[in-house]
Amino acid sequence: DAGVTQSPTHLIKTRGQQVTLRCSPKSGHDTVSWYQQALGQGPQFIFQYYEEEERQRGNFPDRFSGHQFPNYSSELNVNALLLGDSALYLCASSLDREETQYFGPGTRLLVL
Amino acid sequence: EDKVVQSPLSLVVHEGDTVTLNCSYEVTNFRSLLWYKQEKKAPTFLFMLTSSGIEKKSGRLSSILDKKELSSILNITATQTGDSAIYLCAVDEGNTDKLIFGTGTRLQVFP
């Protein structure tokens, strides 16, 4: 049973650049949520996708956008990168309206 | 504003000790409380507690939800070095399905 997978594992970008992170949900799951985890902090909710639509959004600027594909995989895009965007980006998948979310290994983004 | 607070922030113990991690929450529309263990990157699911399931146990780990006090504890008995990790508490906000996390408790178990 394949768990949640994310790519790439690490990424280094410079300020002003754009980045795309990818996530494949656990087999059978249809909902994908994205979280940002800064060093020493708990994960912060960015947004959630279900049926290819953004269903919920946290307190993140419009520079953060996403997409969900028909096979339920998802992308997170961040434009005009800032130093403060450096963090671990976690993807979590779940079944619609079920509470338990399962996390992928994350993508560690460093913005220089 | 919804929030989840964990204590202590950090804990250092010796193998064999028993530890108790605390989590309190103020969330408008509480649906469930979840505990995760984060060793390197991916938080791994431990327990989910709801109004209909306020106590869970798995091996040396157990957790209780106190809905009156808006809190939960995670107990680990006979700790091992492999228990060293960050333990995250999260509350599922029922209106949005988002998880609201605390900052975590870093547990270090020394031989």
Side-chain angles (χ1 to χ4, degrees), chain B residues 13-106:
Chain B
V13 300
H14 290 286
E15 269 190 323
D17 288 351
T18 293
V19 297
T20 298
L21 282 53
N22 301 287
C23 175
S24 64
Y25 60 90
E26 292 176 27
V27 176
T28 311
N29 190 10
F30 171 93
R31 188 158 75 138
S32 60
L33 185 145
L34 297 92
W35 285 96
Y36 288 88
K37 177 183 181 182
Q38 187 174 30
E39 293 180 80
K40 288 194 175 139
K41 280 189 173 181
T44 54
F45 172 75
L46 294 175
F47 298 118
M48 183 179 74
L49 302 156
T50 66
S51 301
S52 58
I54 62 170
E55 188 166 354
K56 294 283 177 73
K57 184 174 169 62
S58 176
R60 296 177 296 103
L61 278 65
S62 62
S63 183
I64 297 172
L65 174 68
D66 188 334
K67 282 214 73 179
K68 191 187 278 188
E69 296 297 326
L70 305 184
S71 65
S72 174
I73 59 170
L74 176 67
N75 282 319
I76 308 175
T77 59
T79 52
Q80 302 171 356
T81 54
D83 295 327
S84 296
I86 295 172
Y87 289 83
L88 294 165
C89 171
V91 171
D92 182 286
E93 200 285 323
N95 285 334
T96 62
D97 291 336
K98 70 178 182 183
L99 294 180
I100 303 166
F101 282 87
T103 54
T105 292
R106 179 180 293 275

Side-chain angles (χ1 to χ4, degrees), chain A residues 9-10 35 37 40-45 48 55-56 88 90 97-108, chain B residues 1 31-32 34 36 38 40-43 45 48 50 88 92 94-104:
Chain A
T9 56
H10 296 84
Y35 293 82
Q37 186 176 23
Q41 300 296 316
Q44 297 288 312
F45 176 76
Q48 183 181 85
R55 181 159 65 179
Q56 296 293 342
L88 178 66
L90 293 164
R97 297 299 173 185
E98 290 198 4
E99 297 100 312
T100 307
Q101 295 183 22
Y102 294 89
F103 285 83
T107 295
R108 191 167 296 283
Chain B
E1 185 183 336
R31 188 158 75 138
S32 60
L34 297 92
Y36 288 88
Q38 187 174 30
K40 288 194 175 139
K41 280 189 173 181
F45 172 75
M48 183 179 74
T50 66
L88 294 165
D92 182 286
N95 285 334
T96 62
D97 291 336
K98 70 178 182 183
L99 294 180
I100 303 166
F101 282 87
T103 54

